[in-house]
Amino acid sequence: MPATRITIALNVKQSQKAPLLLPASASLNPSSPNSCHFLVVKATQSKLRLKKVSRILVAGTGQEFCAESGWKDALKDDVTLLSSASEEYVGVRKENALRDQANPHCTISILAQRVPVDQLSITQLETTAHTLPRLIHATAQPTYTLARSFLLVQYLCQGWIHLPLIRGDIECGMTWWLRGLEGPWRRQSDRKEWLANGKECSSAGEQWDSALGTIGAGNHFAEIQVVESSSMTSGGGLGLYEDEVVLLVHSGSRGYGGHVLEKYTSMEEYMKEHDKACRWAKSNRDLIALRFLSCLEPGEETWEIGCNPPTEDLNHEIVSQARARIQERKVVDIWHNNVERIEWPLGPPSTTIAGLFLEEKTSSLSLDTDHGTPQKDYMYIHRKGAAPTYNPSTSLPLSILPLPGSRGTPTIMLRPLFSEATSWGFKSALSLAHGPGRSMSRAKALSSLSQKYKNPDVLLQPNSASQSQGGPNEQDLVWEEAPEAYKDVYAVCDDLVREGVAEVIGWCRARVSYRVRNDLG
């Protein structure tokens, strides 16, 4: 391209600006050493005195440059680029060419009927689906509520990744396993050995690895549950059967995911760090289970490495043995905050019917090709607060998914369903709700329920509205996580069943729920 004259300015103070001429030799690829991205950042630091540039936005539209395609689409003479230290775009977004890439025909599925969803939330969903570039489908779970983080909506997007749809809690997820937990686990050298699973080490450095093996605060938890009802039959492989005692862990990448969101410079670099955070989070849940098992089954030598303080240095053989034993106990391991790239339209090993339907469904929504026979492409599923309905490693449907209640209510065992009526997963964006969703903010729950239940111990009685709770004695958390602060899990379940995207195969009830309000990891 020829030399391009632009203006650089600060996002928070757009009157502070300077001219910049980008040479024709500058690459549009942000990862290149002499890229336009690099030159803009360098000029901003020297001319506008902004030390850390985390995001580059287009004045007037707020479009963010994440990959080479973004620079190619928006870079032109006399454009003004805003440098942000991570804050959102400041200003009114104007109609522009970016709007041309929006899809006014983006389909929307709202999987709620019994569960109330307010009109403001629906307006937010419709505006997002029909405004952001290249979205082809959006699915709102029954737990959807108005939120700045687009919580509990899944989006299918062609060729783009919209980071605000995921935000920082990358790879937060849940795992079910058969049969003094906060604070750093062992030494950093031991943590790196645990994270060196296979060829790739997922260590994020001691700052973040120090939280490995810890649950985290808020609604993250570990629960010892009993399966009270199950239609799964023994002999059918690993599953959850009546009267079994199981461990459910809800935790993710801890602070590492938020760090990834702040530091990315290109789509390629973001996805590389994103995938690393996903591996880190899975290892974290495995280690949490190991630490629990070291307390629950103290006679098992394999679990001894879960204890603190360390009695000996770990080696590869010891860690590999513990990891293998953990995998033998694992029934299902899912995430509910992440971006996943999938082939589009779907093909083998999925059924031919599913592939043909989705090919027909999306051909008219293509934003890059002429209508007709669509070429093989890919889409990005943006999940925030919903679990995948299939195993991404095998592309086969999952046989069981957890739908946890709110401490005092059961965890429903769901089986995802795929049929022509649900467009073979298209309707639900290949996702299901991961919990009931809050009906009250934490602040509102604390202020109102602390008045209603003067004695928080009432909420901790085994036969009351909530089960007994382990962990530190923090009264505020009892009110914040009370069942009344959440939507009705039974209603959420009924809506998913009514929409034909899932069936109930049983439920578990917590006997011990371990949570913390203050992050001790």
mmCIF file of all heavy atoms in Angstrom, residues 54-78:
data_model
loop_
_atom_site.group_PDB
_atom_site.id
_atom_site.type_symbol
_atom_site.label_atom_id
_atom_site.label_comp_id
_atom_site.label_asym_id
_atom_site.label_seq_id
_atom_site.Cartn_x
_atom_site.Cartn_y
_atom_site.Cartn_z
ATOM 1 N N SER A 54 -2.761 -0.613 25.140
ATOM 2 C CA SER A 54 -3.344 -1.952 25.118
ATOM 3 C C SER A 54 -4.285 -2.160 23.949
ATOM 4 O O SER A 54 -4.456 -3.281 23.481
ATOM 5 C CB SER A 54 -4.107 -2.229 26.422
ATOM 6 O OG SER A 54 -3.241 -2.190 27.528
ATOM 7 N N ARG A 55 -4.912 -1.070 23.494
ATOM 8 C CA ARG A 55 -5.907 -1.194 22.425
ATOM 9 C C ARG A 55 -5.793 -0.015 21.471
ATOM 10 O O ARG A 55 -5.448 1.090 21.884
ATOM 11 C CB ARG A 55 -7.318 -1.250 23.010
ATOM 12 C CG ARG A 55 -7.493 -2.272 24.101
ATOM 13 C CD ARG A 55 -8.818 -2.116 24.831
ATOM 14 N NE ARG A 55 -9.961 -2.438 24.002
ATOM 15 C CZ ARG A 55 -11.229 -2.339 24.403
ATOM 16 N NH1 ARG A 55 -11.489 -1.916 25.633
ATOM 17 N NH2 ARG A 55 -12.222 -2.659 23.604
ATOM 18 N N ILE A 56 -6.071 -0.248 20.196
ATOM 19 C CA ILE A 56 -6.107 0.812 19.197
ATOM 20 C C ILE A 56 -7.490 0.808 18.569
ATOM 21 O O ILE A 56 -7.952 -0.215 18.052
ATOM 22 C CB ILE A 56 -5.020 0.615 18.125
ATOM 23 C CG1 ILE A 56 -3.629 0.662 18.775
ATOM 24 C CG2 ILE A 56 -5.126 1.679 17.034
ATOM 25 C CD1 ILE A 56 -2.499 0.395 17.811
ATOM 26 N N LEU A 57 -8.165 1.968 18.616
ATOM 27 C CA LEU A 57 -9.548 2.094 18.176
ATOM 28 C C LEU A 57 -9.660 3.142 17.083
ATOM 29 O O LEU A 57 -8.828 4.052 16.982
ATOM 30 C CB LEU A 57 -10.451 2.481 19.351
ATOM 31 C CG LEU A 57 -10.268 1.687 20.648
ATOM 32 C CD1 LEU A 57 -10.969 2.390 21.800
ATOM 33 C CD2 LEU A 57 -10.803 0.281 20.490
ATOM 34 N N VAL A 58 -10.699 3.051 16.281
ATOM 35 C CA VAL A 58 -10.972 4.039 15.232
ATOM 36 C C VAL A 58 -11.913 5.094 15.788
ATOM 37 O O VAL A 58 -12.994 4.772 16.307
ATOM 38 C CB VAL A 58 -11.595 3.381 13.988
ATOM 39 C CG1 VAL A 58 -11.880 4.430 12.916
ATOM 40 C CG2 VAL A 58 -10.669 2.309 13.430
ATOM 41 N N ALA A 59 -11.521 6.358 15.693
ATOM 42 C CA ALA A 59 -12.368 7.447 16.163
ATOM 43 C C ALA A 59 -13.677 7.474 15.382
ATOM 44 O O ALA A 59 -13.698 7.313 14.164
ATOM 45 C CB ALA A 59 -11.645 8.783 16.024
ATOM 46 N N GLY A 60 -14.767 7.668 16.097
ATOM 47 C CA GLY A 60 -16.068 7.766 15.457
ATOM 48 C C GLY A 60 -16.839 6.466 15.429
ATOM 49 O O GLY A 60 -18.066 6.465 15.454
ATOM 50 N N THR A 61 -16.138 5.339 15.340
ATOM 51 C CA THR A 61 -16.826 4.044 15.270
ATOM 52 C C THR A 61 -16.501 3.153 16.457
ATOM 53 O O THR A 61 -17.295 2.284 16.814
ATOM 54 C CB THR A 61 -16.447 3.284 13.988
ATOM 55 O OG1 THR A 61 -15.077 2.872 14.071
ATOM 56 C CG2 THR A 61 -16.646 4.155 12.752
ATOM 57 N N GLY A 62 -15.321 3.340 17.043
ATOM 58 C CA GLY A 62 -14.915 2.473 18.132
ATOM 59 C C GLY A 62 -14.397 1.131 17.684
ATOM 60 O O GLY A 62 -14.105 0.257 18.498
ATOM 61 N N GLN A 63 -14.260 0.931 16.338
ATOM 62 C CA GLN A 63 -13.739 -0.338 15.849
ATOM 63 C C GLN A 63 -12.352 -0.576 16.425
ATOM 64 O O GLN A 63 -11.519 0.320 16.475
ATOM 65 C CB GLN A 63 -13.662 -0.347 14.323
ATOM 66 C CG GLN A 63 -13.066 -1.631 13.758
ATOM 67 C CD GLN A 63 -12.841 -1.574 12.260
ATOM 68 O OE1 GLN A 63 -13.200 -0.591 11.611
ATOM 69 N NE2 GLN A 63 -12.248 -2.606 11.698
ATOM 70 N N GLU A 64 -12.100 -1.822 16.842
ATOM 71 C CA GLU A 64 -10.813 -2.164 17.441
ATOM 72 C C GLU A 64 -9.986 -2.999 16.479
ATOM 73 O O GLU A 64 -10.499 -3.913 15.826
ATOM 74 C CB GLU A 64 -11.039 -2.936 18.739
ATOM 75 C CG GLU A 64 -9.754 -3.249 19.479
ATOM 76 C CD GLU A 64 -10.020 -3.790 20.870
ATOM 77 O OE1 GLU A 64 -11.198 -3.799 21.288
ATOM 78 O OE2 GLU A 64 -9.058 -4.204 21.529
ATOM 79 N N PHE A 65 -8.700 -2.664 16.387
ATOM 80 C CA PHE A 65 -7.792 -3.424 15.542
ATOM 81 C C PHE A 65 -7.274 -4.631 16.323
ATOM 82 O O PHE A 65 -6.525 -4.473 17.279
ATOM 83 C CB PHE A 65 -6.601 -2.558 15.111
ATOM 84 C CG PHE A 65 -6.978 -1.440 14.171
ATOM 85 C CD1 PHE A 65 -6.956 -0.123 14.588
ATOM 86 C CD2 PHE A 65 -7.357 -1.711 12.886
ATOM 87 C CE1 PHE A 65 -7.297 0.899 13.740
ATOM 88 C CE2 PHE A 65 -7.706 -0.700 12.011
ATOM 89 C CZ PHE A 65 -7.677 0.621 12.439
ATOM 90 N N CYS A 66 -7.677 -5.834 15.890
ATOM 91 C CA CYS A 66 -7.215 -7.056 16.558
ATOM 92 C C CYS A 66 -6.379 -7.935 15.635
ATOM 93 O O CYS A 66 -5.582 -8.732 16.096
ATOM 94 C CB CYS A 66 -8.398 -7.876 17.066
ATOM 95 S SG CYS A 66 -9.327 -7.058 18.373
ATOM 96 N N ALA A 67 -6.562 -7.808 14.338
ATOM 97 C CA ALA A 67 -5.866 -8.677 13.401
ATOM 98 C C ALA A 67 -5.596 -7.909 12.107
ATOM 99 O O ALA A 67 -6.019 -6.760 11.933
ATOM 100 C CB ALA A 67 -6.689 -9.928 13.121
ATOM 101 N N GLU A 68 -4.899 -8.559 11.191
ATOM 102 C CA GLU A 68 -4.525 -7.929 9.927
ATOM 103 C C GLU A 68 -5.748 -7.468 9.143
ATOM 104 O O GLU A 68 -5.740 -6.412 8.517
ATOM 105 C CB GLU A 68 -3.712 -8.924 9.102
ATOM 106 C CG GLU A 68 -3.195 -8.354 7.785
ATOM 107 C CD GLU A 68 -2.268 -9.323 7.079
ATOM 108 O OE1 GLU A 68 -1.836 -10.311 7.693
ATOM 109 O OE2 GLU A 68 -1.961 -9.074 5.901
ATOM 110 N N SER A 69 -6.832 -8.277 9.204
ATOM 111 C CA SER A 69 -8.035 -7.912 8.453
ATOM 112 C C SER A 69 -8.625 -6.590 8.927
ATOM 113 O O SER A 69 -9.158 -5.811 8.139
ATOM 114 C CB SER A 69 -9.080 -9.027 8.572
ATOM 115 O OG SER A 69 -9.404 -9.253 9.931
ATOM 116 N N GLY A 70 -8.529 -6.316 10.244
ATOM 117 C CA GLY A 70 -9.046 -5.057 10.770
ATOM 118 C C GLY A 70 -8.275 -3.856 10.248
ATOM 119 O O GLY A 70 -8.869 -2.836 9.894
ATOM 120 N N TRP A 71 -6.943 -3.967 10.185
ATOM 121 C CA TRP A 71 -6.132 -2.878 9.634
ATOM 122 C C TRP A 71 -6.442 -2.682 8.161
ATOM 123 O O TRP A 71 -6.544 -1.546 7.677
ATOM 124 C CB TRP A 71 -4.643 -3.194 9.835
ATOM 125 C CG TRP A 71 -4.185 -3.017 11.237
ATOM 126 C CD1 TRP A 71 -4.149 -3.964 12.215
ATOM 127 C CD2 TRP A 71 -3.717 -1.801 11.834
ATOM 128 N NE1 TRP A 71 -3.696 -3.427 13.385
ATOM 129 C CE2 TRP A 71 -3.404 -2.102 13.188
ATOM 130 C CE3 TRP A 71 -3.507 -0.509 11.373
ATOM 131 C CZ2 TRP A 71 -2.918 -1.142 14.069
ATOM 132 C CZ3 TRP A 71 -3.015 0.449 12.250
ATOM 133 C CH2 TRP A 71 -2.731 0.130 13.573
ATOM 134 N N LYS A 72 -6.610 -3.756 7.445
ATOM 135 C CA LYS A 72 -6.885 -3.663 6.009
ATOM 136 C C LYS A 72 -8.220 -2.985 5.738
ATOM 137 O O LYS A 72 -8.356 -2.190 4.808
ATOM 138 C CB LYS A 72 -6.884 -5.066 5.405
ATOM 139 C CG LYS A 72 -7.064 -5.092 3.886
ATOM 140 C CD LYS A 72 -6.988 -6.526 3.374
ATOM 141 C CE LYS A 72 -7.173 -6.555 1.857
ATOM 142 N NZ LYS A 72 -7.107 -7.952 1.340
ATOM 143 N N ASP A 73 -9.210 -3.273 6.587
ATOM 144 C CA ASP A 73 -10.552 -2.723 6.359
ATOM 145 C C ASP A 73 -10.651 -1.238 6.698
ATOM 146 O O ASP A 73 -11.370 -0.490 6.036
ATOM 147 C CB ASP A 73 -11.581 -3.493 7.201
ATOM 148 C CG ASP A 73 -11.768 -4.926 6.712
ATOM 149 O OD1 ASP A 73 -11.411 -5.197 5.557
ATOM 150 O OD2 ASP A 73 -12.252 -5.760 7.502
ATOM 151 N N ALA A 74 -9.957 -0.790 7.748
ATOM 152 C CA ALA A 74 -10.200 0.554 8.282
ATOM 153 C C ALA A 74 -9.084 1.566 8.044
ATOM 154 O O ALA A 74 -9.315 2.769 8.169
ATOM 155 C CB ALA A 74 -10.484 0.464 9.776
ATOM 156 N N LEU A 75 -7.877 1.111 7.690
ATOM 157 C CA LEU A 75 -6.768 2.050 7.543
ATOM 158 C C LEU A 75 -6.863 2.794 6.216
ATOM 159 O O LEU A 75 -6.876 2.193 5.140
ATOM 160 C CB LEU A 75 -5.430 1.297 7.625
ATOM 161 C CG LEU A 75 -4.185 2.178 7.730
ATOM 162 C CD1 LEU A 75 -4.236 3.015 9.004
ATOM 163 C CD2 LEU A 75 -2.923 1.346 7.699
ATOM 164 N N LYS A 76 -6.935 4.113 6.301
ATOM 165 C CA LYS A 76 -7.003 4.955 5.099
ATOM 166 C C LYS A 76 -6.535 6.354 5.470
ATOM 167 O O LYS A 76 -6.380 6.701 6.651
ATOM 168 C CB LYS A 76 -8.436 4.992 4.565
ATOM 169 C CG LYS A 76 -9.459 5.495 5.570
ATOM 170 C CD LYS A 76 -10.868 5.386 5.020
ATOM 171 C CE LYS A 76 -11.910 5.828 6.054
ATOM 172 N NZ LYS A 76 -13.276 5.718 5.542
ATOM 173 N N ASP A 77 -6.290 7.180 4.471
ATOM 174 C CA ASP A 77 -5.836 8.549 4.710
ATOM 175 C C ASP A 77 -6.830 9.311 5.588
ATOM 176 O O ASP A 77 -8.053 9.165 5.445
ATOM 177 C CB ASP A 77 -5.663 9.294 3.381
ATOM 178 C CG ASP A 77 -4.371 8.898 2.672
ATOM 179 O OD1 ASP A 77 -3.440 8.468 3.365
ATOM 180 O OD2 ASP A 77 -4.318 9.009 1.438
ATOM 181 N N ASP A 78 -6.266 10.103 6.492
ATOM 182 C CA ASP A 78 -7.022 11.025 7.347
ATOM 183 C C ASP A 78 -7.862 10.346 8.429
ATOM 184 O O ASP A 78 -8.661 11.008 9.101
ATOM 185 C CB ASP A 78 -7.939 11.941 6.505
ATOM 186 C CG ASP A 78 -7.143 12.752 5.488
ATOM 187 O OD1 ASP A 78 -6.031 13.198 5.834
ATOM 188 O OD2 ASP A 78 -7.619 12.909 4.351
#
